[in-house]
Amino acid sequence: MPNAFDLKSAKRRLLLPLQRLASGWWRRQSPARQDRFATLGPLVSVLLFLTAIILAFWYLRNEEIERESEAVKRDTEIAQQQIRLRLIENQEQLMRIAREIVTRAVDTHDFSAQAKGFARERPEVTHVTWINARRESRASVSGAGFQDDSLMSGDGSDPSMPVSNQSNPPELAFQNAKERRQPSYSQVFTDYNGTSVFQVHVPLIDRSGFSGALIAEYSVEALLRYYVPTEVSARHSMAVLDASDNVVASSVTQMPGRSNKRASILHEAPLAPAMNGLVLRGEGYRTSIGLISNTLFWMVVALSTLTVWMLLGTWRHMRRRLQIQTALTSETNFRRAMENSMLTGMRALDLESRISYVNPAFCAMTGFSEAELIGRKPPFPFWPPDRLEENARLLQQEIHGRSPSGGVEVKMLRKDGSTFDGRMYVSPLVDTKGKQTGWMTSMTNITEAKRVRDQLSASHERFTTVLEGLDAAVSVLSVQQGELLFANRSYRLWFGADPAGHALLSGSQLGRGGGPNQLDEADEEVDDYSGLPAQHLTEAGADPREVFVESLEMWFDVRTRYLQWTDGRLAQMLIATDITARRRAEEQASLQAEKAQMTSRLMTMGEMASSVAHELNQPLTAITNYCNGMVSRVRNDAIQKDDLLAALEKTAKQAQRAGQIIHRIRNFVKRSEPKREAAQAHDIVEDAVELAGIELRRRNVAIHTYVAQRLPQLMVDPILIEQVLMNLLKNAAEAIDNAGLPPSRRHIELRVIPKHTPELGGHIDFSVTDMGPGMPEEVISRMYEAFFSTKSDGLGIGLGLCRSIVESHKGRIRAENLYNGAAIVGCRFAFSIPVDISRLDPALPSGTAGPSGPTATAVNQISTP
């Protein structure tokens, strides 16, 4: 077993590295820092001691509060248990009496006898009453055990009596007992004596059903007085509160005209088994004074504060001494550092023009040491041999005080023979008595600055040459004065030196108060730029805009932004590029696209010529038959007036049908300028289906059209959208007919529904789905290429034109095959047109609407003929 000596040795070996580490750290600190630590150590110790005292007081106080809280909780639960057991026992006795009443074992006389015995033994019961299902009192016994016929009167004056069609607590408890067939407790209320009471209603259930109730009324104050143990009420205050947190009864009587102070320790428990909103609250108070009111605590705080104040005084005194010492050291070091680290060369001359002082920067500039320069007279060794006379003349100017305030630019010679440019400033050297003792010269090396200045000048010349050679007009205009600060050759060629050209291109009124004649007008206007920081304006850009100048008959792409000019003024820079050739090319391309659309519609009508002729032949044949029949019957005088009118009406309908077909075809193929207008998707679909139906009937293809209800208006060219639908429907019909599919697959579905996606936002989706053979993947990837077609007689411009039309409306077109497993069962073409989806009816869902939902309707259906 190790002895005490071994333990001390082991402890010394463990503490020795820590001691060495602490002593080494202390020695590394400066004397000033050591003094600071030595002063702050006692201060920190006093503060830690004060903190420990405060924590000890706080811990003892919390422990006392926790003990008192546990005592209040225990007493409250004891009182709750006593009241709960009493209420359960009373409920069982009432249920026994109720069973005897239901079994006809007792009458009203026997009930009164049993109720008297029940009430005498229970002082908390104010009365026991037997009422029937019509809320009529059969018998009532008061809490003193006497028969009292005045109790529970049915005239509505007794608040303890349940009254039908009212919402008082007895009525609610009566209804609850009747519905649930179980004992029901009422909310607390005030009886005719002003006492806070609540009732228990025991239902009477016989063979015929609910026959009444047995009511026992409890006094809340009596429950608290008789069933809260005396030792509990002696220790803590007990109170019963209702659902609104109002005190119903309390074991402590409140002083008249005063409000009791809320207890600091509370515990609440529900008044079971009533569960009618009544809560039993136990209240407790702390017996000791608070932490702040403790005298011992304040004595400790006062002593600690005094100690801290004395330590702070000592620390401040030491700090002032240290500051004085540091100031003296800093002043010396500052002067030495200023001499050694100054980039400006300093040279002092006495009154005889002898060098009396040079700093290290001057020696570094010239390459001569301090010993080589001190005491030298003109000519100095750093004067170039070819500039001795010039430098001597400049020195005489310095001595006589005629040196310019902006300094003198001189050429200096280094010890190695190289030269550099310097700028010298001369000022008199005056001692503390105001007597001049010499001259102080400061010199800076401006060789690099001069080189940069020359480069900047050359760079500015190159930049100006580039701007002058640009084909675009570049100008800079002052915002406040309206002065043209810069204009390149192109600007001067087009607009001269007039700032109005800048304002015309930018579309603004910069510099409105430029002349004296505009003074009054400028006072009436508002300064658009007042209060705006120039930095925010220069950081903000502007969207490019295209401007047409009528005087030049030219189009310009104009880009502007704000900047700060070299003198700090806010200015606007403008770059205007000539885009006249591009605009003319775009106009030519637009005309070609319009011609292509017109050609496509004519080709579509040409391909459908035989179908249109067949469609027109039917009404024309019918008109001929009707006319021949009427002529023959009129000649034979075998037609009545009514029959003649009927035949004429049928003839007019057939003529109107033929006229509608011709009118739709004419509107479709007539040449017109593309025009965006408000249009309904229903009308566009109806016109397209009417025209496409001619071709579909010829090819025995059925079409089913579904258009969602309450769609918003489209801002489109209706003829162009109709052309896209016509092309897609015609292609689908041709694919089905050419594949020779059976009647079950000769169907086309046209669906128009609103959609909203994060990528496209709100849009109307048009989809054409067929049950044809589909398309190969290589065809889908190339079908929008110009002059690509899978038809033997096709030109390959239909789908490409459809894509151009849809994209010109900022929409998208897509195609996909439909699969059943690995087999292709159809193809779907769909295109979307953007729309403001918020304009939809609020009842319409924001997602897609299907044909079977409440937001879709079948507007047209062409069956197989």
Side-chain angles (χ1 to χ4, degrees):
M1 183 173 181
N3 54 20
F5 179 77
D6 294 336
L7 292 177
K8 290 182 179 180
S9 300
K11 183 177 180 181
R12 187 180 299 106
R13 286 195 300 272
L14 292 176
L15 294 178
L16 184 61
L18 296 177
Q19 292 177 354
R20 290 177 179 176
L21 181 63
S23 60
W25 174 83
W26 181 259
R27 286 193 298 271
R28 286 195 300 271
Q29 306 300 319
S30 62
R33 190 176 293 272
Q34 290 179 357
D35 293 342
R36 187 179 304 167
F37 287 148
T39 307
L40 292 178
L43 179 61
V44 173
S45 301
V46 172
L47 293 177
L48 291 177
F49 172 74
L50 180 60
T51 304
I53 293 296
I54 293 174
L55 291 176
F57 275 101
W58 176 78
Y59 172 76
L60 294 175
R61 178 173 175 271
N62 286 348
E63 186 178 7
E64 177 196 356
I65 293 174
E66 185 176 355
R67 287 197 305 269
E68 183 65 18
S69 299
E70 290 296 330
V72 171
K73 178 181 179 181
R74 182 174 58 254
D75 289 348
T76 304
E77 291 176 351
I78 291 174
Q80 178 201 26
Q81 187 69 14
Q82 293 292 330
I83 296 175
R84 177 176 176 273
L85 293 176
R86 188 62 175 180
L87 291 177
I88 292 175
E89 178 185 355
N90 293 347
Q91 180 177 319
E92 292 176 352
Q93 292 294 329
L94 292 173
M95 292 177 68
R96 181 186 61 79
I97 297 174
R99 284 195 297 270
E100 293 180 358
I101 294 174
V102 170
T103 57
R104 304 296 193 275
V106 297
D107 54 6
T108 56
H109 180 73
D110 296 333
F111 166 76
S112 298
Q114 292 186 14
K116 290 177 183 179
F118 179 82
R120 287 195 187 99
E121 297 174 358
R122 293 164 176 81
E124 73 275 8
V125 177
T126 60
H127 68 82
V128 180
T129 304
W130 172 17
I131 63 174
N132 58 17
R134 295 188 300 275
R135 302 172 181 79
E136 298 174 349
S137 177
R138 297 287 306 277
S140 182
V141 176
S142 66
F146 299 102
Q147 179 72 29
D148 192 351
D149 295 334
S150 64
L151 290 173
M152 304 292 283
S153 61
D155 57 358
S157 60
D158 193 346
S160 300
M161 187 67 179
V163 181
S164 60
N165 299 326
Q166 292 187 6
S167 58
N168 57 348
E171 173 63 20
L172 295 177
F174 181 81
Q175 291 291 340
N176 194 19
K178 180 179 179 180
E179 294 173 358
R180 297 176 56 188
R181 301 294 197 268
Q182 293 180 0
S184 174
Y185 288 84
S186 70
Q187 299 287 334
V188 67
F189 63 95
T190 305
D191 62 0
Y192 66 94
N193 291 325
T195 304
S196 297
V197 297
F198 66 91
Q199 296 179 350
V200 57
H201 290 239
V202 180
L204 302 177
I205 310 299
D206 55 11
R207 295 179 180 178
S208 61
F210 181 78
S211 61
L214 186 61
I215 301 175
E217 188 173 86
Y218 292 96
S219 171
V220 180
E221 184 179 1
L223 276 175
L224 199 63
R225 184 171 64 254
Y226 289 107
Y227 298 107
V228 174
T230 306
E231 61 274 11
V232 170
S233 59
R235 287 194 299 264
H236 300 104
S237 172
M238 294 292 166
V240 177
L241 287 76
D242 59 9
S244 301
D245 206 21
N246 297 322
V247 177
V248 178
S250 177
S251 60
V252 177
T253 304
Q254 182 177 351
M255 292 294 293
R258 294 185 183 179
S259 57
N260 286 341
K261 183 179 179 182
R262 182 179 177 86
S264 58
I265 302 174
L266 301 174
H267 183 74
E268 296 181 352
L271 201 62
M275 304 305 289
N276 55 355
L278 293 179
V279 176
L280 182 63
R281 173 188 286 178
E283 300 178 351
Y285 298 89
R286 297 195 308 271
T287 57
S288 63
I289 60 177
L291 178 63
I292 303 302
S293 304
N294 196 306
T295 306
L296 179 61
F297 169 76
W298 284 112
M299 291 178 62
V300 173
V301 170
L303 291 176
S304 301
T305 303
L306 180 61
T307 305
V308 170
W309 178 75
M310 294 177 66
L311 290 175
L312 286 175
T314 304
W315 178 71
R316 291 181 61 186
H317 176 70
M318 294 182 64
R319 189 177 66 173
R320 281 195 298 270
R321 294 188 60 184
L322 181 62
Q323 287 175 351
I324 296 173
Q325 179 181 355
T326 304
L328 292 175
T329 306
S330 299
E331 182 68 21
T332 304
N333 294 335
F334 172 74
R335 292 181 178 274
R336 184 179 297 110
M338 184 175 62
E339 295 176 359
N340 297 333
S341 62
M342 200 172 189
L343 298 179
T344 303
M346 305 295 294
R347 181 196 65 180
L349 300 177
D350 57 15
L351 295 177
E352 297 180 359
S353 301
R354 184 186 296 109
I355 298 177
S356 59
Y357 166 80
V358 289
N359 69 339
F362 190 89
C363 296
M365 287 183 185
T366 59
F368 295 95
S369 65
E370 183 179 0
E372 292 174 330
L373 296 178
I374 296 297
R376 295 293 298 267
K377 288 186 175 182
F380 299 120
F382 46 80
W383 283 1
D386 57 342
R387 292 177 178 265
L388 294 178
E389 296 181 1
E390 180 182 356
N391 288 337
R393 179 177 55 81
L394 293 176
L395 178 61
Q396 291 300 320
Q397 289 182 1
E398 295 175 6
I399 293 175
H400 294 88
R402 295 195 301 268
S403 179
S405 59
V408 179
E409 187 173 337
V410 295
K411 204 77 169 177
M412 305 295 288
L413 178 67
R414 293 190 180 94
K415 187 176 181 180
D416 58 4
S418 61
T419 60
F420 67 93
D421 294 311
R423 181 171 294 276
M424 300 183 64
Y425 301 89
V426 181
S427 60
L429 187 62
V430 181
D431 60 9
T432 56
K433 298 180 180 180
K435 182 178 179 181
Q436 181 177 353
T437 60
W439 303 91
M440 176 61 68
T441 303
S442 62
M443 183 177 65
T444 57
N445 189 346
I446 63 171
T447 304
E448 184 66 19
K450 188 175 181 181
R451 184 185 64 81
V452 171
R453 183 179 60 191
D454 294 340
Q455 289 182 351
L456 286 176
S457 177
S459 176
H460 177 266
E461 184 177 355
R462 290 193 299 270
F463 181 70
T464 305
T465 303
V466 171
L467 289 181
E468 290 292 332
L470 287 178
D471 292 335
V474 180
S475 61
V476 180
L477 186 74
S478 173
V479 173
Q480 286 83 4
Q481 290 80 17
E483 176 187 356
L484 190 62
L485 302 177
F486 175 81
N488 70 341
R489 180 185 59 83
S490 297
Y491 181 91
R492 296 193 302 271
L493 179 63
W494 290 329
F495 303 101
D498 189 2
H502 184 107
L504 176 63
L505 292 174
S506 63
S508 61
Q509 298 180 2
L510 301 179
R512 293 171 294 194
N517 296 331
Q518 301 176 0
L519 183 60
D520 296 336
E521 181 181 356
D523 291 340
E524 297 295 331
E525 296 176 350
V526 179
D527 184 8
D528 296 334
Y529 307 97
S530 61
L532 291 178
Q535 181 182 359
H536 293 179
L537 285 175
T538 55
E539 293 176 355
D543 296 331
R545 54 195 298 264
E546 295 182 357
V547 179
F548 179 72
V549 180
E550 295 183 1
S551 59
L552 301 176
E553 295 185 354
M554 296 173 63
W555 281 93
F556 292 94
D557 178 76
V558 180
R559 299 170 185 268
T560 61
R561 71 167 299 161
Y562 290 95
L563 51 84
Q564 278 190 316
W565 195 239
T566 55
D567 57 0
R569 286 184 293 176
L570 181 63
Q572 185 187 57
M573 182 179 69
L574 179 144
I575 301 175
T577 307
D578 182 12
I579 59 170
T580 305
R582 192 194 73 189
R583 287 297 297 256
R584 290 174 181 172
E586 290 177 354
E587 292 175 358
Q588 189 66 24
S590 177
L591 292 176
Q592 293 295 337
E594 182 182 351
K595 291 179 181 179
Q597 295 167 6
M598 182 66 184
T599 303
S600 176
R601 294 200 293 270
L602 291 175
M603 289 174 58
T604 302
M605 287 295 100
E607 294 172 357
M608 295 173 55
S610 59
S611 300
V612 172
H614 177 72
E615 191 72 14
L616 289 175
N617 188 50
Q618 291 182 0
L620 294 177
T621 302
I623 292 171
T624 302
N625 292 336
Y626 281 127
C627 290
N628 291 336
M630 286 186 291
V631 170
S632 63
R633 293 184 65 180
V634 169
R635 285 177 179 174
N636 297 330
D637 199 13
I639 186 170
Q640 299 294 330
K641 182 179 179 180
D642 294 339
D643 296 336
L644 178 60
L645 291 176
L648 289 174
E649 289 176 355
K650 293 179 180 180
T651 303
K653 288 181 180 179
Q654 294 298 326
Q656 185 179 5
R657 177 185 173 190
Q660 288 178 349
I661 295 173
I662 295 173
H663 179 70
R664 289 184 184 277
I665 295 174
R666 179 179 178 276
N667 287 339
F668 183 72
V669 302
K670 72 177 181 180
R671 185 181 183 88
S672 61
E673 295 291 333
K675 181 176 61 176
R676 299 284 181 93
E677 60 185 25
Q680 294 290 343
H682 179 278
D683 299 335
I684 296 175
V685 170
E686 183 177 6
D687 291 341
V689 170
E690 283 291 334
L691 288 177
I694 299 173
E695 183 71 11
L696 268 60
R697 283 191 289 270
R698 185 176 70 85
R699 296 181 181 273
N700 294 329
V701 177
I703 179 172
H704 301 277
T705 306
Y706 300 98
V707 181
Q709 297 178 355
R710 297 183 297 275
L711 288 176
Q713 288 184 341
L714 297 169
M715 291 303 298
V716 297
D717 189 327
I719 297 299
L720 296 181
I721 302 302
E722 182 181 344
Q723 182 177 353
V724 175
L725 289 175
M726 276 281 297
N727 204 333
L728 297 181
L729 293 173
K730 178 172 160 296
N731 289 346
E734 289 178 356
I736 293 174
D737 192 25
N738 294 337
L741 297 178
S744 59
R745 294 186 60 182
R746 301 178 76 87
H747 297 281
I748 298 176
E749 182 184 56
L750 171 59
R751 179 179 296 177
V752 183
I753 56 176
K755 285 188 177 181
H756 188 281
T757 61
E759 180 183 2
L760 301 178
H763 61 277
I764 302 297
D765 192 75
F766 297 79
S767 62
V768 177
T769 306
D770 63 61
M771 302 178 68
M775 295 183 297
E777 293 298 330
E778 59 271 13
V779 174
I780 294 179
S781 62
R782 297 187 56 197
M783 61 184 177
Y784 297 115
E785 295 181 7
F787 308 113
F788 174 78
S789 177
T790 58
K791 305 175 186 177
S792 59
D793 57 347
L795 296 180
I797 63 174
L799 288 178
L801 186 60
C802 290
R803 180 179 182 179
S804 299
I805 293 174
V806 172
E807 290 181 351
S808 69
H809 288 81
K810 301 186 183 301
R812 293 187 181 181
I813 187 170
R814 59 192 183 278
E816 60 180 348
N817 286 325
L818 304 180
Y819 293 89
N820 184 7
I824 299 177
V825 296
C827 182
R828 177 184 292 121
F829 275 84
F831 65 91
S832 59
I833 301 298
V835 73
D836 186 4
I837 204 71
S838 63
R839 295 168 58 189
L840 283 169
D841 192 283
L844 186 64
S846 61
T848 61
S852 61
T855 63
T857 178
V859 301
N860 198 359
Q861 178 173 341
I862 302 175
S863 301
T864 304

